[in-house]
Amino acid sequence: MAEPETITDPADPRLADYTGLTDVELRRRREPAEGLFIAEGEKVIRRAVAAGFRMRSMLLTPKWLDVMADVITDTPAPVHVVEPGLAEAVTGYHVHRGALASMERKPLPTAPELLATARRVAILEGLVDHTNLGAIFRSAAALGMDAVLLSPDCADPLYRRAVKVSMGAVFAVPYARLDLWPAALGTVREAGFELLALTPSGADDLPAAAPHLIPKAAVMLGAEGDGLTDKALAAADRRVRIPMAHGIDSLNVGAAAAVTFYAVNAGV
Amino acid sequence: MAEPETITDPADPRLADYTGLTDVELRRRREPAEGLFIAEGEKVIRRAVAAGFRMRSMLLTPKWLDVMADVITDTPAPVHVVEPGLAEAVTGYHVHRGALASMERKPLPTAPELLATARRVAILEGLVDHTNLGAIFRSAAALGMDAVLLSPDCADPLYRRAVKVSMGAVFAVPYARLDLWPAALGTVREAGFELLALTPSGADDLPAAAPHLIPKAAVMLGAEGDGLTDKALAAADRRVRIPMAHGIDSLNVGAAAAVTFYAVNAGV
């Protein structure tokens, strides 16, 4: 362990990992480039550590020192103690969870590596909303998906908000980026997967498609509002819809994902 | 139709329905007391009108006059035209959807009225978060629930944020308040319903409980985090859990609701 050190200067270079956290554009560029991500709140930090991510440093307000004592003991990373006002000055927001950790990214697996052992895969296209992405990861992990594959334009699952909304589930289910889109979907098919595209205009009802009986199933979901693109739909083996009642035209993407993950796994 | 009239004074009494929309506490008291609710955005306003709610008035920024022309023609309600800056001054936020309507509430049905014809009912306890409540209503309507029953401490489904997140689904699926909690659950059972409580500590897995085979099913869901109270759990016929993988301990309540509504309806 490192002895916690109090910092009082917002320009202290030891706080560099935590500057401007509310500037999404900046952080989106910086974090992957610098190989870090931010875990926020006690639970998420513990889960990141438990998932084997190396801690670069921790930033705590004083009252969190006791709560995090065991984590501090177990890590060689420096622990920066700052007053709430300084935390806000550095990060740009009121850090009401009082505990942030800068964690080191691990190299992502490749899609073929994940496909070699998976039976249930979620493929997400154009999910740029961190809240939706985090929620979908939480459901994917909880409901037994083996892996998540992301189109090139999906947001970063390790962005702070996505991590937080996922409750750390982004650490629990492995994921990979698909670089060529939608060509990489062919790779998924060659790995023995049937590609089911979820779309309100699908020809088959989800229950009728009996997805739980498919030996290797890849379920494709698009972003809230727009859904899957035409080229993604064209690359699928089947287009399925979740039956709708009361004249409602769609579910939100988080709900559609949860239903689909359930149906393709323990669903029946 | 009424001829749209431009208003330039934020204190104009014709704007009274729209004042202080960001003051949740104030609006939570005012709106039921005054028998109104606020529909925000073109789609939600159209759905409120289509669902038979009477319009008290509409507040539009100038560029929305054309978009809403047919709605204006079809209603006798006054239409107030205000510049975006005035809209913000009155409501307290930047109304980027540019169209608000004040709608008149209708008397709610009673639970026995709804139970007389329903086969699939959702019972929500302690859902105080408007976003979660709206999301659950959207899923309940889309996935074929016949009615929603609310514990006394649930938030108001017609609060602006809940209406918006539900995409107007709060107009599509009927709901009622249960006044005596949890005693009113006995009424649900007497109406022939089996009460399934969703809880991570449930004895039976949801798929194994085969909820789609239950003639009349009432599924009970508690708030994010805390879940159902002990007294609510004690009043249920069965406690069921959604199977979890990857060491995840729970789904968010919106995802749990979607899975449950799917499972109890078309799920298989």
Side-chain angles (χ1 to χ4, degrees), chain A residues 70-121:
Chain A
D70 58 314
V71 179
I72 295 170
T73 304
D74 291 345
T75 178
V79 178
H80 311 312
V81 183
V82 301
E83 290 298 325
L86 184 66
E88 184 166 350
V90 171
T91 62
Y93 71 109
H94 175 63
V95 186
H96 59 92
R97 281 167 196 258
L100 295 170
S102 175
M103 310 295 297
E104 191 169 295
R105 289 177 186 244
K106 297 191 276 196
L108 286 184
T110 65
E113 284 167 1
L114 295 181
L115 292 168
T117 55
R119 286 184 55 251
R120 295 289 178 258
V121 173

Coordinates of all heavy atoms in Angstrom, one line a residue, chain A residues 70-121:
Chain A
D70 N -9.5 -1.3 3.1 CA -9.0 -2.6 2.6 C -8.5 -2.5 1.2 O -7.5 -3.1 0.8 CB -10.0 -3.7 2.7 CG -11.3 -3.3 2.0 OD1 -11.8 -2.2 2.0 OD2 -11.8 -4.2 1.2
V71 N -9.2 -1.7 0.3 CA -8.7 -1.5 -1.0 C -7.4 -0.8 -1.0 O -6.5 -1.2 -1.8 CB -9.8 -0.7 -1.9 CG1 -9.3 -0.5 -3.3 CG2 -11.1 -1.4 -1.9
I72 N -7.2 0.2 -0.2 CA -6.0 1.0 -0.1 C -4.8 0.0 0.3 O -3.7 0.1 -0.3 CB -6.1 2.1 0.9 CG1 -7.2 3.1 0.4 CG2 -4.8 2.8 1.1 CD1 -7.6 4.2 1.4
T73 N -5.1 -0.8 1.3 CA -4.1 -1.7 1.8 C -3.6 -2.7 0.7 O -2.4 -3.0 0.6 CB -4.7 -2.6 3.0 OG1 -5.1 -1.7 4.0 CG2 -3.6 -3.5 3.6
D74 N -4.6 -3.1 -0.1 CA -4.2 -4.1 -1.1 C -3.6 -3.6 -2.4 O -3.3 -4.4 -3.3 CB -5.5 -4.9 -1.4 CG -5.9 -5.8 -0.3 OD1 -5.1 -5.9 0.7 OD2 -7.1 -6.3 -0.3
T75 N -3.5 -2.3 -2.6 CA -3.0 -1.8 -3.8 C -1.7 -1.0 -3.6 O -1.6 -0.2 -2.6 CB -4.0 -0.9 -4.6 OG1 -3.4 -0.4 -5.8 CG2 -4.4 0.3 -3.8
P76 N -0.7 -1.1 -4.5 CA 0.4 -0.2 -4.4 C 0.1 1.2 -5.0 O 1.0 2.1 -4.9 CB 1.5 -0.9 -5.3 CG 0.7 -1.7 -6.2 CD -0.6 -2.1 -5.6
A77 N -1.0 1.4 -5.6 CA -1.3 2.7 -6.3 C -1.4 3.8 -5.3 O -1.9 3.7 -4.2 CB -2.6 2.6 -7.1
P78 N -1.0 5.0 -5.7 CA -1.1 6.2 -4.9 C -2.5 6.6 -4.6 O -3.4 6.4 -5.5 CB -0.3 7.3 -5.6 CG -0.3 6.8 -7.1 CD -0.3 5.3 -7.0
V79 N -2.8 7.0 -3.4 CA -4.1 7.4 -3.0 C -4.1 8.9 -2.7 O -3.4 9.4 -1.8 CB -4.6 6.7 -1.7 CG1 -6.0 7.1 -1.3 CG2 -4.6 5.2 -2.0
H80 N -4.9 9.7 -3.5 CA -4.9 11.1 -3.3 C -6.2 11.5 -2.5 O -7.3 11.2 -2.9 CB -5.0 11.8 -4.7 CG -3.9 11.3 -5.7 ND1 -2.6 11.1 -5.3 CD2 -4.0 10.9 -6.9 CE1 -1.9 10.7 -6.4 NE2 -2.8 10.5 -7.4
V81 N -5.9 12.2 -1.5 CA -7.1 12.7 -0.6 C -7.3 14.2 -0.9 O -6.4 15.0 -0.8 CB -6.8 12.5 0.9 CG1 -8.0 12.8 1.7 CG2 -6.4 11.0 1.1
V82 N -8.5 14.5 -1.3 CA -8.9 15.9 -1.6 C -10.2 16.2 -0.9 O -11.1 15.4 -0.8 CB -9.0 16.1 -3.1 CG1 -7.6 15.8 -3.8 CG2 -10.1 15.3 -3.7
E83 N -10.3 17.5 -0.6 CA -11.6 18.0 -0.1 C -12.6 18.0 -1.2 O -12.3 18.1 -2.4 CB -11.5 19.4 0.5 CG -10.7 19.5 1.8 CD -11.3 18.7 2.9 OE1 -12.5 18.6 3.0 OE2 -10.5 18.1 3.7
P84 N -14.0 17.8 -0.8 CA -15.0 17.8 -1.9 C -14.9 19.0 -2.9 O -15.1 18.8 -4.1 CB -16.3 17.8 -1.1 CG -15.9 17.2 0.2 CD -14.5 17.6 0.5
G85 N -14.6 20.2 -2.4 CA -14.5 21.3 -3.2 C -13.4 21.2 -4.3 O -13.6 21.6 -5.4
L86 N -12.3 20.6 -3.8 CA -11.2 20.4 -4.8 C -11.5 19.3 -5.8 O -11.2 19.5 -7.0 CB -9.9 20.1 -4.0 CG -8.7 19.9 -4.9 CD1 -8.3 21.3 -5.5 CD2 -7.5 19.4 -4.1
A87 N -12.2 18.3 -5.3 CA -12.6 17.2 -6.2 C -13.5 17.8 -7.3 O -13.3 17.5 -8.5 CB -13.4 16.1 -5.5
E88 N -14.4 18.7 -6.9 CA -15.3 19.3 -7.9 C -14.5 20.2 -8.9 O -14.7 20.2 -10.1 CB -16.4 20.1 -7.2 CG -17.4 20.7 -8.2 CD -18.7 21.2 -7.5 OE1 -18.9 20.9 -6.3 OE2 -19.5 21.8 -8.2
A89 N -13.5 21.0 -8.3 CA -12.7 21.9 -9.2 C -11.9 21.1 -10.2 O -11.8 21.5 -11.4 CB -11.8 22.7 -8.3
V90 N -11.5 19.9 -9.8 CA -10.6 19.1 -10.8 C -11.5 18.4 -11.8 O -11.3 18.4 -13.0 CB -9.8 18.1 -10.0 CG1 -9.1 17.1 -10.9 CG2 -8.8 18.8 -9.1
T91 N -12.6 17.7 -11.3 CA -13.3 16.9 -12.2 C -14.4 17.6 -13.0 O -14.8 17.2 -14.0 CB -14.1 15.8 -11.4 OG1 -15.0 16.4 -10.5 CG2 -13.1 14.9 -10.6
G92 N -14.9 18.7 -12.4 CA -15.9 19.5 -13.1 C -17.3 19.2 -12.6 O -18.3 19.8 -13.1
Y93 N -17.4 18.3 -11.6 CA -18.8 18.0 -11.0 C -18.6 17.7 -9.6 O -17.6 17.4 -9.1 CB -19.5 17.0 -11.8 CG -18.9 15.6 -11.6 CD1 -19.6 14.6 -10.9 CD2 -17.7 15.2 -12.2 CE1 -19.1 13.3 -10.7 CE2 -17.2 13.9 -12.0 CZ -17.9 13.0 -11.3 OH -17.4 11.7 -11.1
H94 N -19.8 17.7 -8.9 CA -19.8 17.3 -7.5 C -19.8 15.8 -7.4 O -20.7 15.1 -7.7 CB -21.1 17.9 -6.8 CG -21.2 17.5 -5.4 ND1 -20.3 17.8 -4.4 CD2 -22.2 16.7 -4.8 CE1 -20.7 17.2 -3.3 NE2 -21.8 16.6 -3.5
V95 N -18.6 15.3 -6.9 CA -18.4 13.9 -6.9 C -19.1 13.3 -5.6 O -18.5 13.1 -4.6 CB -16.9 13.5 -6.8 CG1 -16.7 12.0 -6.9 CG2 -16.2 14.2 -8.0
H96 N -20.4 13.1 -5.8 CA -21.2 12.8 -4.5 C -20.9 11.4 -4.0 O -21.2 11.0 -2.9 CB -22.7 13.1 -4.6 CG -23.3 12.3 -5.7 ND1 -24.0 11.1 -5.5 CD2 -23.5 12.6 -7.1 CE1 -24.5 10.7 -6.7 NE2 -24.2 11.6 -7.6
R97 N -20.3 10.5 -4.9 CA -19.9 9.2 -4.4 C -18.6 9.2 -3.8 O -18.1 8.2 -3.2 CB -20.0 8.2 -5.6 CG -21.4 7.7 -5.9 CD -21.5 6.9 -7.1 NE -22.9 6.8 -7.6 CZ -23.6 5.8 -7.5 NH1 -23.1 4.7 -6.9 NH2 -24.8 5.7 -7.9
G98 N -17.8 10.4 -3.9 CA -16.7 10.6 -3.1 C -15.5 9.7 -3.4 O -14.5 9.8 -2.7
A99 N -15.5 8.8 -4.3 CA -14.4 7.9 -4.6 C -14.3 7.7 -6.1 O -15.3 7.3 -6.7 CB -14.6 6.6 -3.9
L100 N -13.1 8.0 -6.6 CA -12.8 7.7 -8.0 C -11.5 6.9 -8.1 O -10.6 7.1 -7.3 CB -12.7 9.0 -8.8 CG -13.9 10.0 -8.9 CD1 -13.4 11.3 -9.4 CD2 -14.9 9.4 -9.8
A101 N -11.4 6.1 -9.1 CA -10.2 5.4 -9.3 C -9.8 5.5 -10.8 O -10.7 5.4 -11.6 CB -10.2 4.0 -8.9
S102 N -8.6 5.7 -11.1 CA -8.1 5.7 -12.4 C -7.5 4.3 -12.6 O -6.6 3.9 -11.9 CB -7.0 6.7 -12.7 OG -6.5 6.6 -14.0
M103 N -8.1 3.5 -13.6 CA -7.7 2.1 -13.8 C -7.0 2.0 -15.2 O -7.3 2.7 -16.1 CB -8.9 1.2 -13.7 CG -9.9 1.4 -12.5 SD -9.1 1.0 -10.9 CE -8.8 -0.7 -11.1
E104 N -6.2 1.0 -15.3 CA -5.5 0.8 -16.5 C -6.3 -0.2 -17.4 O -6.7 -1.2 -16.9 CB -4.1 0.2 -16.2 CG -3.2 0.1 -17.4 CD -1.8 -0.3 -16.9 OE1 -1.1 0.5 -16.2 OE2 -1.3 -1.4 -17.3
R105 N -6.4 0.2 -18.6 CA -7.1 -0.7 -19.6 C -6.3 -1.9 -19.8 O -5.1 -1.9 -19.8 CB -7.4 0.0 -20.9 CG -8.5 1.1 -20.8 CD -8.7 1.8 -22.0 NE -9.6 2.9 -21.7 CZ -10.8 3.0 -22.3 NH1 -11.2 2.2 -23.2 NH2 -11.6 4.0 -21.9
K106 N -7.0 -3.0 -20.2 CA -6.4 -4.2 -20.6 C -6.6 -4.3 -22.1 O -7.6 -3.8 -22.6 CB -7.0 -5.5 -19.9 CG -6.7 -5.4 -18.4 CD -7.1 -6.8 -17.8 CE -8.6 -6.9 -17.4 NZ -8.9 -8.0 -16.5
P107 N -5.7 -5.0 -22.8 CA -5.9 -5.2 -24.3 C -7.3 -6.0 -24.5 O -7.6 -6.9 -23.7 CB -4.8 -6.1 -24.7 CG -3.7 -6.0 -23.6 CD -4.5 -5.8 -22.4
L108 N -8.1 -5.5 -25.4 CA -9.3 -6.2 -25.7 C -9.1 -7.5 -26.4 O -8.1 -7.6 -27.2 CB -10.2 -5.4 -26.6 CG -10.9 -4.2 -25.9 CD1 -11.8 -3.5 -26.9 CD2 -11.7 -4.5 -24.7
P109 N -9.9 -8.5 -26.1 CA -9.8 -9.7 -27.0 C -10.3 -9.4 -28.4 O -10.9 -8.4 -28.6 CB -10.8 -10.7 -26.3 CG -11.7 -9.9 -25.5 CD -10.9 -8.6 -25.1
T110 N -10.0 -10.3 -29.3 CA -10.5 -10.1 -30.7 C -11.9 -10.9 -30.8 O -12.1 -11.8 -29.9 CB -9.6 -10.7 -31.7 OG1 -9.5 -12.1 -31.5 CG2 -8.2 -10.1 -31.6
A111 N -12.6 -10.5 -31.7 CA -13.9 -11.2 -31.9 C -13.7 -12.7 -32.2 O -14.4 -13.5 -31.5 CB -14.7 -10.6 -33.1
P112 N -12.8 -13.1 -33.0 CA -12.6 -14.6 -33.2 C -12.3 -15.3 -31.9 O -12.7 -16.4 -31.7 CB -11.5 -14.7 -34.2 CG -11.6 -13.4 -35.0 CD -12.0 -12.4 -34.0
E113 N -11.5 -14.7 -31.1 CA -11.2 -15.3 -29.8 C -12.5 -15.5 -28.9 O -12.7 -16.6 -28.4 CB -10.2 -14.4 -28.9 CG -8.8 -14.5 -29.4 CD -7.9 -13.3 -28.8 OE1 -8.4 -12.5 -28.0 OE2 -6.7 -13.3 -29.2
L114 N -13.3 -14.5 -28.9 CA -14.5 -14.7 -28.1 C -15.5 -15.7 -28.8 O -16.1 -16.5 -28.1 CB -15.2 -13.3 -28.0 CG -14.5 -12.3 -27.2 CD1 -15.3 -11.0 -27.1 CD2 -14.2 -12.8 -25.8
L115 N -15.5 -15.7 -30.1 CA -16.5 -16.5 -30.8 C -16.1 -18.0 -30.7 O -16.9 -18.9 -30.8 CB -16.6 -16.1 -32.3 CG -17.2 -14.8 -32.5 CD1 -17.0 -14.3 -34.0 CD2 -18.7 -14.8 -32.2
A116 N -14.8 -18.3 -30.4 CA -14.3 -19.6 -30.3 C -15.0 -20.4 -29.2 O -15.2 -21.6 -29.3 CB -12.8 -19.6 -30.2
T117 N -15.4 -19.7 -28.1 CA -16.0 -20.5 -27.0 C -17.4 -20.0 -26.7 O -18.1 -20.7 -25.9 CB -15.1 -20.2 -25.7 OG1 -15.0 -18.8 -25.5 CG2 -13.7 -20.8 -25.9
A118 N -17.9 -19.0 -27.3 CA -19.2 -18.4 -26.9 C -20.3 -19.2 -27.6 O -20.2 -19.8 -28.7 CB -19.3 -17.0 -27.3
R119 N -21.5 -19.2 -27.0 CA -22.7 -19.7 -27.6 C -23.8 -18.7 -27.8 O -24.7 -18.8 -28.6 CB -23.3 -20.9 -26.7 CG -22.5 -22.2 -26.8 CD -23.3 -23.2 -25.9 NE -24.7 -23.4 -26.3 CZ -25.7 -23.0 -25.6 NH1 -25.6 -22.4 -24.5 NH2 -27.0 -23.1 -26.1
R120 N -23.7 -17.6 -27.0 CA -24.7 -16.6 -27.0 C -24.0 -15.2 -27.0 O -23.3 -14.8 -26.1 CB -25.5 -16.6 -25.7 CG -26.4 -17.9 -25.5 CD -27.5 -17.8 -26.5 NE -28.4 -19.0 -26.5 CZ -28.3 -19.9 -27.4 NH1 -27.4 -19.9 -28.4 NH2 -29.2 -20.9 -27.4
V121 N -24.2 -14.5 -28.2 CA -23.4 -13.3 -28.4 C -24.4 -12.2 -28.7 O -25.4 -12.4 -29.4 CB -22.5 -13.5 -29.6 CG1 -21.8 -12.2 -30.0 CG2 -21.4 -14.5 -29.2

